[in-house]
Amino acid sequence: MAGTGADPLAHAEQFIWLTARVLEQRRFAHLFLEGSADPVETALSAYRNDDGGYGHGLEPDLRGPVSQPLHTAHALSVLDSIGRCAGTRVERICRYLTDVSTKEGALPALHPSQRGYPAAPFIPVVDDPPAELLATGPVVGLLHRNRVWHAWLFRATDFCWAAVDALEQSHPYEIEAAIAFLDGVPDRARAESAAGRLGQLVREQKLVVLDPQRRAEYPVAPGYAPGEHHFPYHYARTPGSLARRWFSDGELEGSLDHLAAEQQEDGGWPVNWRQWAPGTALEGRPIETLRALQTLRSYGRDLL
């Protein structure tokens, strides 16, 4: 076990062992301590349901046992991070995605089966929810990037293209979903063109804090928590993302400096979205800590 001290990774390790769920502990061990991927997949399987989807609070803002698109997208991101986004496990997931898709062939943010179970108040339960880029884009992009081919992807990809092309007034999480789609979709020329337009939109609508020292001057999107800003690294999680082209070296490095400085005294990173229940914040912080560490490492930042 690493000791406490100024070392960001060792400090984060103490936080993970102290507060994280078994899944995030296993993920940390795999990502940063040369641990096997097998225990990650075993821990993830506890959240899987017989319908092929995932539930049981995997995404902390949704509670209860039922499968949901957001839980299942989270599961896919975990499988992607351990190089196991393939085979029968993903075929089962795609069947679930097919079953819960709307008439457009895409995913709602929240399936009405959530009714009766606790959920964040900013994700309302409705009987006939619309398809949303927010839920569909990251899933479609990830599956394409992993060269998964399934009938569900055809209509879902068309939906995402139409949604991205129609974006005018937007908000940061929707832009994150759009760039996740564009980073994985096979038509790279079209993706680059669309990403260029979105980069202009992000800057024009001030959907990104370009100077962390002046963050109070940037607006917060309607419905977001006070101070729930987005920085360049939120959009460009890796140097290979199309969103990396939206920002100068100085803007990107300044945002990474800010991200590194956000590590708290206990070794973890904070959550900045609206906190509506104690357990969701407690479970969310280790997830954000893993994201922060992965982002910093992808840009070559020294964690030791």
Side-chain angles (χ1 to χ4, degrees), residues 54-244:
Y54 289 73
H56 305 279
L58 178 56
E59 182 63 38
D61 277 333
L62 300 178
R63 318 304 292 185
V66 295
S67 297
Q68 285 291 328
L70 292 180
H71 292 313
T72 306
H74 191 132
L76 279 169
S77 72
V78 172
L79 292 171
D80 178 52
S81 73
I82 61 174
R84 296 193 175 176
C85 192
T88 57
R89 64 178 69 81
V90 176
E91 290 178 10
R92 289 194 296 267
I93 287 174
C94 287
R95 286 198 296 270
Y96 165 77
L97 299 176
T98 302
D99 290 341
V100 297
S101 288
T102 67
K103 60 182 181 296
E104 298 94 341
L107 299 172
L110 193 63
H111 190 270
S113 60
Q114 185 67 31
R115 193 180 303 280
Y117 297 104
F122 45 82
I123 314 178
V125 182
V126 297
D127 289 333
D128 188 21
E132 294 194 20
L133 178 63
L134 189 68
T136 312
V139 172
V140 173
L142 185 151
L143 292 175
H144 278 305
R145 185 158 43 79
N146 283 275
R147 300 180 183 274
V148 173
W149 294 106
H150 189 274
W152 178 79
L153 272 171
F154 292 101
R155 291 186 67 203
T157 300
D158 288 343
F159 170 85
C160 289
W161 274 126
V164 168
D165 290 343
L167 281 179
E168 292 181 359
Q169 288 294 126
S170 189
H171 61 93
Y173 289 117
E174 187 173 51
I175 297 296
E176 278 193 63
I179 199 66
F181 165 70
L182 295 174
D183 277 344
V185 73
D187 190 341
R188 301 315 300 154
R190 185 177 179 183
E192 290 183 13
S193 176
R197 185 180 70 82
L198 291 187
Q200 293 178 343
L201 182 152
V202 164
R203 298 180 81 95
E204 290 169 359
Q205 296 181 16
K206 295 185 177 181
L207 302 182
V208 60
V209 175
L210 297 174
D211 182 355
Q213 301 302 316
R214 302 172 63 183
R215 62 185 299 182
E217 300 176 17
Y218 289 83
V220 174
Y224 284 30
E228 191 175 355
H229 292 105
H230 275 58
F231 296 84
Y233 63 78
H234 282 107
Y235 301 110
R237 285 287 180 180
T238 68
S241 172
L242 291 174
R244 174 62 185 90

Side-chain angles (χ1 to χ4, degrees), residues 30-33 291-303:
H30 172 67
L31 291 168
F32 299 102
L33 303 177
R291 286 174 180 157
L293 292 170
Q294 288 177 279
T295 299
L296 292 168
R297 184 172 67 176
S298 76
Y299 282 98
R301 290 299 182 103
D302 186 7
L303 299 176

